[in-house]
Amino acid sequence: MVLSKQHRINRGEDFRRILRRGRRISNAAGVFVALPAERPRFGFIVSKAVGNAVERNRAKRLLRAAARSTLGQEIGAEVVVKASRDVLSYSVDELAGLLEEVARLATAR
């Protein structure tokens, strides 16, 4: 199942704005950056440092599943995730918890 279009960040300028001005949490899974917004939106940066194409796609699927599971929560933030190689060792629930945590930080300003 895909993340609906209204919940995706696609434009480069949006990625740059969030990465420049957002609140961040870093851990072994990567860097999670969020800015307050009217509706939840998610963007993922998964570079070749994560692994080969199969591993990168698996990482993106994990992150999308985590983002979908947080949509039921009342998250008002745009979140960008710069994934590291260790993101593959996290479960969907753990990643969802990280997404919720960074979104709460962003909206607590």
Side-chain angles (χ1 to χ4, degrees):
M1 193 163 153
V2 296
L3 196 57
S4 65
K5 193 170 189 168
Q6 67 182 4
H7 296 295
R8 283 185 261 165
I9 299 170
N10 292 324
R11 296 174 42 208
E13 64 188 55
D14 290 338
F15 275 94
R16 285 187 292 277
R17 175 180 49 83
I18 294 164
L19 289 171
R20 200 173 30 246
R21 298 191 318 203
R23 298 287 300 256
R24 53 186 80 232
I25 293 177
S26 297
N27 69 1
V31 179
F32 295 73
V33 185
L35 265 180
E38 291 181 20
R39 64 173 190 249
R41 292 176 60 210
F42 300 92
F44 309 111
I45 301 169
V46 183
S47 71
K48 287 186 178 182
V50 171
N52 63 25
V54 172
E55 293 167 324
R56 290 193 307 272
N57 286 325
R58 185 179 307 134
K60 288 185 270 190
R61 283 193 304 272
L62 272 171
L63 290 165
R64 281 193 302 265
R68 273 193 309 276
S69 71
T70 64
L71 289 177
Q73 317 298 317
E74 292 301 317
I75 293 177
E78 296 175 317
V79 180
V80 171
V81 179
K82 290 175 74 173
S84 71
R85 182 157 181 78
D86 291 337
V87 74
L88 296 170
S89 64
Y90 281 73
S91 71
V92 171
D93 292 333
E94 291 170 326
L95 292 170
L98 288 168
L99 290 172
E100 290 173 16
E101 184 179 346
V102 73
R104 270 193 306 261
L105 270 178
T107 55
R109 281 188 166 176

